[in-house]
Amino acid sequence: MSGLVTLGETMAALSAPTVGPLRHQPHLHLHVGGAESNVAIAVARLGGAAAWVGRVGDDELGDLVLTQLRGEGVDVRDAVRDPGAPTGLMIKSRRTSTVGRVAYYRRGSAGSRLTPADVPVDRVRAAQVLHVTGITPALSPNARAATFAAVEEARAAGVPVSLDVNHRAALWGSDEAGPVLAELAARADVLFAGEDEAALLLPDGVDVGDPFAVLAALAALGPPEVVLKRGSRGALASLAGDLVEVPPRAVLAVDPVGAGDAFVGGYLAELVAGAGAASRLETAAACGAFAVTVPGDWEGLPTRRDLALLAAPEGTVVR
């Protein structure tokens, strides 16, 4: 199998269906979520091959993670069941209509116990692209070592490396995260960063308020392809020196969580399919738009057939 290979932690997720304090929610919806597996699902829904590598507990929540990923067409044959640690958990709620909260229960989780020995070397070396994020190296020293081990295996085999910075301040501070993420960025062929996290990688003197200067500074780190995700303002990309501006797609946003992963997944799905830069960015923007139209990290991700729906007139009914 070629396609995309990614590694990281996927957790069970409990989501409050209505706005208000979590303590007053009588029901919570159970599903799964994780940045890397969100990207894998995006690629799979668009018809690409995708494999997820990680650890889950030998428990019901671990069963849930693997069952849902398999159901979405993601290859989980190299996932590890860890009898000595539980599957991680996150709880999502919305305190107001515009402010969401996510609480993580992942300290000592199975996902944090990922090691270099868990990296499927042959699978990584046969991939069309290896995708990693800044989340996995923040989980633990051994998970950080696993991330670098996978990246080095990919580079040795000539496999492109994709990095989404995905900084999580709750896991590590900027002083610790910055140097590690800069090392990974220097090894990446494709770099994705949000405007708020790009500053972690920038040298002193760069005007963080100037997106074009930020993009140029990120490209100077070495990746031939750099995409600066700007949320509702679209994205800027530097592709082999060519500057491209990506407009946002207008949709009614319901849940912003997962939009960045969807954008990355759409881009990498087209990269795996051999599409050009314009198609990669167009699909990325469309996937990001679809993701925010429904609650959940990945549930709204589109299939190929869905992509045309964004251009349909309002009120269209497909019969």
Side-chain angles (χ1 to χ4, degrees):
M1 171 184 171
S2 53
L4 174 135
V5 173
T6 187
L7 72 159
E9 180 173 32
T10 298
M11 296 174 287
L14 293 171
S15 298
T18 59
V19 174
L22 181 64
R23 62 184 176 274
H24 296 312
Q25 298 287 340
H27 306 288
L28 296 174
H29 294 162
L30 178 63
H31 58 115
V32 304
E36 298 84 6
S37 56
N38 294 344
V39 170
I41 291 171
V43 171
R45 283 208 179 168
L46 291 171
W52 175 82
V53 179
R55 281 180 174 251
V56 296
D58 190 13
D59 50 26
E60 280 291 321
L61 297 183
D63 291 338
L64 174 68
V65 168
L66 297 182
T67 297
Q68 290 211 346
L69 293 186
R70 285 193 197 99
E72 290 297 324
V74 176
D75 189 333
V76 294
R77 285 178 293 174
D78 290 303
V80 177
R81 301 301 297 262
D82 188 336
T87 303
L89 175 68
M90 58 179 159
I91 301 179
K92 299 168 60 181
S93 61
R94 190 166 290 280
R95 187 61 183 85
T96 73
S97 61
T98 59
V99 178
R101 291 174 174 169
V102 183
Y104 296 98
Y105 299 85
R106 68 199 316 176
R107 187 182 300 275
S109 67
S112 70
R113 288 157 53 114
L114 188 71
T115 73
D118 297 326
V119 175
V121 173
D122 291 342
R123 175 68 64 89
V124 169
R125 285 177 167 262
Q128 287 174 274
V129 61
L130 171 73
H131 177 65
V132 298
T133 78
I135 299 173
T136 306
L139 297 177
S140 65
N142 48 285
R144 186 177 308 175
T147 305
F148 276 93
V151 168
E152 292 305 327
E153 289 293 347
R155 284 165 53 84
V159 173
V161 174
S162 163
L163 168 66
D164 189 353
V165 173
N166 243 332
H167 179 238
R168 295 290 186 267
L171 292 174
W172 56 353
S174 57
D175 289 345
E176 182 184 7
V180 176
L181 294 171
E183 281 190 57
L184 287 171
R187 291 164 167 76
D189 298 278
V190 186
L191 173 63
F192 300 93
E195 284 187 302
D196 57 339
E197 60 197 6
L200 291 168
L201 305 176
L202 301 179
D204 294 338
V206 177
D207 181 2
V208 295
D210 181 348
F212 296 97
V214 170
L215 188 68
L218 292 175
L221 296 173
E225 299 183 20
V226 179
V227 182
L228 184 65
K229 296 180 289 183
R230 308 184 71 208
S232 61
R233 290 174 293 175
L236 286 175
S238 175
L239 307 177
D242 293 330
L243 185 65
V244 182
E245 190 160 5
V246 186
R249 307 296 290 268
V251 293
L252 178 62
V254 173
D255 183 357
V257 176
D261 300 332
F263 184 99
V264 172
Y267 188 98
L268 295 181
E270 298 293 30
L271 182 65
V272 166
S279 293
R280 297 199 297 271
L281 292 166
E282 181 179 352
T283 300
C287 286
F290 268 103
V292 304
T293 60
V294 303
D297 289 25
W298 52 266
E299 286 81 350
L301 291 169
T303 63
R304 289 281 176 190
R305 185 171 58 183
D306 292 334
L307 291 175
L309 295 177
L310 286 181
E314 185 176 352
T316 295
V317 178
V318 180
R319 300 184 187 275

